[in-house]
Amino acid sequence: MWRSPDERNTDPRRAHRPAREPEVPGEHRRPGRDNRIDTLRGLLLVIMTIDHLGGPLYAISYSPLGFVTAAEGFVFLSGYMFALAYVLRAPDLRTLRRTSIRRAALIYRYYIAALALLVGLTWLLPRLGVYWHLGGTIHHPWVWNLLSFVMVNQPAYFDILPMHVVFVLVTPFAVLGIRRGYAGLVVAASVGIWAIGSLLHPAGPLTALLAGDYRAGHFNLLCWQLLWMLGLLLGCYRDTVRRALGRMPASAWLALLVFLGALCLARHDLLSIGLSAQDSALDSTKMGWLRLFDTLGLLLLTAGLLRFVPRTARVPWLDYLGRSSIQVFTFQVLLVYLDMGIGFRVEALGSPALHVVYTLACVLTLTLPAFLHHRRRQRA
């Protein structure tokens, strides 16, 4: 367990020395990445891309294991990796705050660059606004663009980037509570915010008052922060969590498998649980309670299985994508917008095999942003 700053500074011989900034909590501050997690994030990026492109592969990739999509896992793992890559490696909270601001600024720059590119192309070729549902940038240029640049209005498929900006910025406050021994309070606050989010969307009332092509974002920020915070906490307490997983009885794992199996069967209409996919308990936007439990159950099962996989194990291409997750995600947003003008033409040819080839070709292009990012880092 982490010691408080008071416990670390009780030596009277050091009482006259100026107080140092308290260290960020960490059970064992260990630099480096977890290749398994980067591989999983790469896989989730591929799945999200296929889900957004649609076509025959969509029937396989979209929620195959239950009422959970790749987005839930991606947000959770992003919080977990942020703990490993930044929180546990920061020597103190001041450094973590600076790191968080720089990271949030980087994500925001990618968001703005992608948005500015699409807006610029829409102005040059207004017909694109019809394909892309960006007519608001032409009909309400000042308000639409202003709300978009401050992340209140979020065009389709952009949602995860603004969420990450906010989550990264609030992380130091959560870590401060964890460092002071209030991890339970941090979890309780996050659950409370999730409950509030189930009643309202933070940007919904504003965009509802505006006429035009405005979109508050598919994911409710107040609800989805719970996944980030849980990932962050598990990253900070990863050794404790690993030991707890090793002590779980076989009966608990069996119960988990029965629960997940029932939801998987219900997802594919092979078992009735008295709920439909449109029920509030399974709502994606507000992270309904049953959807949340399904997500956490799958994450728990994944964590249990990863105990038997070496930390250095990886699938090279997926790991390559996962190490450039923000760059790859931003690229796939642009790729999906490009597909809006091409994909339906491929589908009109009536050949499922051709559409599969087209989708896989699009997925392979995710290598490009990862390559450019790694090349830039090597030159730096």
Side-chain angles (χ1 to χ4, degrees):
M1 191 65 183
W2 304 317
R3 294 186 300 165
S4 67
D6 293 333
E7 291 174 324
R8 290 196 297 267
N9 294 289
T10 53
D11 188 346
R13 293 174 297 178
R14 294 191 288 176
H16 65 282
R17 297 180 185 177
R20 295 180 58 191
E21 175 90 11
E23 292 185 350
V24 172
E27 289 173 302
H28 299 289
R29 206 169 279 112
R30 188 166 54 198
R33 304 180 72 96
D34 189 328
N35 292 338
R36 301 168 303 175
I37 305 302
D38 281 325
T39 295
L40 284 176
R41 288 211 295 172
L43 175 62
L44 293 174
L45 284 165
V46 169
I47 293 174
M48 281 193 287
T49 303
I50 295 173
D51 289 347
H52 292 161
L53 291 173
L57 293 180
Y58 174 86
I60 301 173
S61 66
Y62 187 77
S63 300
L65 301 178
F67 298 97
V68 180
T69 66
E72 286 92 336
F74 185 76
V75 172
F76 177 89
L77 291 181
S78 294
Y80 182 84
M81 279 303 297
F82 192 85
L84 297 188
Y86 300 105
V87 175
L88 298 184
R89 297 173 66 183
D92 50 55
L93 280 170
R94 183 180 295 110
T95 301
L96 178 61
R97 285 194 293 267
R98 289 197 298 264
T99 301
S100 297
I101 292 172
R102 286 197 297 268
R103 184 65 179 173
L106 174 68
I107 299 171
Y108 181 74
R109 287 199 298 271
Y110 275 97
Y111 166 77
I112 288 298
L115 180 63
L117 176 61
L118 295 179
V119 168
L121 290 175
T122 302
W123 285 351
L124 290 174
L125 302 169
R127 187 178 177 182
L128 292 175
V130 178
Y131 286 113
W132 295 344
H133 305 287
L134 298 180
T137 189
I138 296 176
H139 302 123
H140 311 278
W142 291 104
V143 177
W144 192 96
N145 291 319
L146 175 62
L147 292 180
S148 298
F149 278 80
V150 298
M151 303 186 299
V152 173
N153 178 55
Q154 298 174 17
Y157 306 110
F158 275 87
D159 316 66
I160 283 183
L161 292 175
M163 278 204 306
H164 274 63
V165 171
V166 177
F167 294 164
V168 168
L169 288 176
V170 302
T171 289
F173 298 98
V175 172
L176 177 62
I178 297 170
R179 177 185 60 80
R180 292 184 174 178
Y182 298 127
L185 185 59
V186 171
V187 174
S190 183
V191 172
I193 294 171
W194 166 77
I196 294 172
S198 66
L199 302 176
L200 59 91
H201 194 298
L206 177 59
T207 54
L209 291 174
L210 298 172
D213 192 11
Y214 295 95
R215 185 175 181 273
H218 176 72
F219 304 119
N220 188 320
L221 183 76
L222 299 180
C223 297
W224 280 67
Q225 54 76 32
L226 181 57
L227 290 177
W228 173 278
M229 287 300 171
L230 291 177
L232 179 75
L233 279 161
L234 263 63
C236 291
Y237 287 102
R238 67 195 186 285
D239 293 332
T240 301
V241 171
R242 187 181 301 114
R243 290 191 294 268
L245 289 174
R247 293 193 296 266
M248 278 185 62
S251 58
W253 289 112
L254 179 60
L256 177 63
L257 288 174
V258 170
F259 171 72
L260 295 176
L263 290 181
C264 183
L265 292 174
R267 160 71 178 86
H268 297 285
D269 298 323
L270 299 175
L271 178 69
S272 175
I273 59 174
L275 296 172
S276 67
Q278 290 72 39
D279 195 278
S280 60
L282 296 169
D283 185 73
S284 172
T285 298
K286 298 180 179 180
M287 188 57 62
W289 66 268
L290 187 54
R291 189 183 192 92
L292 176 63
F293 286 153
D294 194 12
T295 301
L296 297 180
L298 284 171
L299 290 170
L300 178 60
L301 179 61
T302 302
L305 294 174
L306 286 180
R307 292 188 302 120
F308 304 102
V309 181
R311 182 185 175 92
T312 55
R314 67 193 183 103
V315 177
W317 183 62
L318 296 178
D319 175 74
Y320 192 65
L321 299 181
R323 288 172 177 264
S324 304
S325 58
I326 296 301
Q327 292 76 16
V328 173
F329 181 84
T330 305
F331 177 83
Q332 72 91 27
V333 170
L334 298 176
L335 182 67
V336 172
Y337 272 86
L338 178 63
D339 170 73
M340 290 181 187
I342 300 176
F344 74 94
R345 302 178 189 277
V346 176
E347 188 174 0
L349 296 176
S351 172
L354 179 61
H355 203 291
V356 168
V357 172
Y358 165 76
T359 301
L360 294 178
C362 290
V363 169
L364 286 176
T365 65
L366 298 179
T367 309
L368 177 60
F371 170 76
L372 294 176
H373 177 235
H374 287 288
R375 185 178 180 182
R376 182 179 179 183
R377 291 188 63 180
Q378 288 173 354
R379 287 183 174 180

